[in-house]
Amino acid sequence: MKRPALVFLALLLMMYLYPLSIVPLFLLAGEWEEFRKEWLWSAIVVGLSFPLYGAKILLGISGWAKVLGITPLQVSPQIWWSVYLTFTALQMTAVYFIYRVSKNLGRYGIAGGLLMLSAVPLHILSLNLYFALTWAGLLLFLFALKTKGGD
């Protein structure tokens, strides 16, 4: 599979089906030798966040709770915020490793990586803002990849 398609798939899954993004991230680690470490670490961090992703669904933090018809568990605000902020920190770390790849793709890549990185903590303000920044960052990343000749 070509690199742009794998990048697109990885980031699309990060937005909508986060745990599944581990597959294209591992594939990118195998395919893109120059940035193997960054893709691998991003995949590892996604894997480490699996239990918290499940907890987010059970606590009703994730939109998937509504989709799946799960009644959120009632917990203290400290537990709720601990799960939310720890998951967000792990998610931001996973995106940070993608940003490290984007820094090597020129100014469009840097801008795309920064947009994706800034989207993660800003999703607390607005999911629409999160998706807009992530999509814009993804498109800039892909444009930078195409102009650099990345397959």
Side-chain angles (χ1 to χ4, degrees), residues 18-96:
Y18 186 76
L20 296 180
S21 67
I22 198 168
V23 174
L25 289 170
F26 274 126
L27 291 173
L28 280 162
E31 171 133 347
W32 205 340
E33 182 68 33
E34 181 181 0
F35 300 110
R36 177 185 308 274
K37 184 173 74 170
E38 286 83 356
W39 295 117
L40 187 60
W41 273 108
S42 186
I44 289 169
V45 172
V46 167
L48 289 173
S49 66
F50 283 178
L52 289 167
Y53 191 80
K56 279 182 55 180
I57 293 171
L58 292 175
L59 297 176
I61 299 170
S62 170
W64 283 106
K66 288 180 186 173
V67 171
L68 298 172
I70 295 173
T71 304
L73 297 176
Q74 297 300 317
V75 296
S76 71
Q78 293 86 354
I79 292 174
W80 193 95
W81 280 105
S82 294
V83 168
Y84 180 77
L85 293 174
T86 305
F87 177 82
T88 300
L90 286 171
Q91 184 181 23
M92 193 157 178
T93 303
V95 175
Y96 169 74

Side-chain angles (χ1 to χ4, degrees), residues 104-139:
N104 295 285
L105 298 176
R107 65 179 183 204
Y108 291 115
I110 293 169
L114 285 172
L115 285 174
M116 290 185 287
L117 197 56
S118 65
V120 176
L122 292 176
H123 83 278
I124 194 167
L125 301 176
S126 164
L127 280 178
N128 290 336
L129 179 61
Y130 166 77
F131 286 115
L133 290 173
T134 305
W135 274 104
L138 172 58
L139 294 174

